[in-house]
Amino acid sequence: MQFHHKPPFNRGWTMLSPRSGQGADMLMDFGVLEMLEGDQFGDNSATDERIWLLARGNALITWAGGEQKVSRGDLFDYSPWCLSVPARCAVSITALPGGAEWYYVATDNPRAFAPRLYTPQECRSEMRGEGTM
C-alpha cells in the first residue's frame, strides 16, 4: 500500500489509513503524530490493541505500569523504541526538546496482555539494499 502525503506532516495527529474507507483491507488504523517540545498527547481505547513507534525525536511516554524517556535520531540510522499496549491501557506522550514524531497502529483485539516497551536493543534492524548501489 502507498500513502500519498507530502511532508512535512502537520503538527498533531494525522490519520494516513483508517480501518474504514480506502485501506480498510489492512484491518488497522495507521497514522503519524508530529509533536513540538512541550506538546502532550493522550491515547486510550476500549477495544483496540495499539502500537506507538518513535520515528525520531525525544519524548516521555507513560502507560499503565511504566514510564520511559525515549530518544531516536532518525528512523533510518537508529533502532526504534516501540510501545505495545492492549485495549483499556492509557498512554500519555510528552514531547521533550527537539520534539518527536511517532507512528501509530491500532486494530481490534479483545485479548488482554501486559503492556510492553521494546527497547532499541530488542528491535531487530536490517539494512535493505545495502551493497547494491
Side-chain angles (χ1 to χ4, degrees):
M1 166 162 280
Q2 293 182 344
F3 298 105
H4 301 284
H5 187 284
K6 292 183 180 179
F9 292 109
N10 295 327
R11 180 180 179 186
W13 174 251
T14 303
M15 177 66 76
L16 295 174
S17 179
R19 274 177 271 188
S20 59
Q22 185 177 359
D25 57 331
M26 290 182 12
L27 303 176
M28 64 182 81
D29 293 334
F30 177 74
V32 63
L33 175 64
E34 186 68 37
M35 305 175 81
L36 298 179
E37 180 179 349
D39 286 351
Q40 295 182 330
F41 188 84
D43 170 57
N44 202 351
S45 172
T47 59
D48 292 346
E49 169 182 0
R50 290 149 297 132
I51 303 286
W52 285 97
L53 181 126
L54 180 62
R56 60 150 195 87
N58 304 291
L60 173 67
I61 188 163
T62 306
W63 65 97
E67 178 178 277
Q68 179 71 48
K69 285 185 179 179
V70 295
S71 181
R72 186 178 188 192
D74 62 58
L75 63 114
F76 299 106
D77 299 313
Y78 301 89
S79 293
W81 289 90
C82 184
L83 178 65
S84 174
V85 296
R88 296 173 297 285
C89 181
V91 173
S92 174
I93 302 172
T94 302
L96 300 176
E101 181 176 285
W102 293 86
Y103 296 131
Y104 167 89
V105 178
T107 192
D108 296 319
N109 183 1
R111 187 178 63 88
F113 60 90
R116 171 106 189 261
L117 178 68
Y118 295 90
T119 68
Q121 294 76 25
E122 295 174 291
C123 295
R124 189 179 120 219
S125 295
E126 60 183 74
M127 301 300 288
R128 299 249 172 174
E130 184 175 37
T132 61
M133 297 180 76

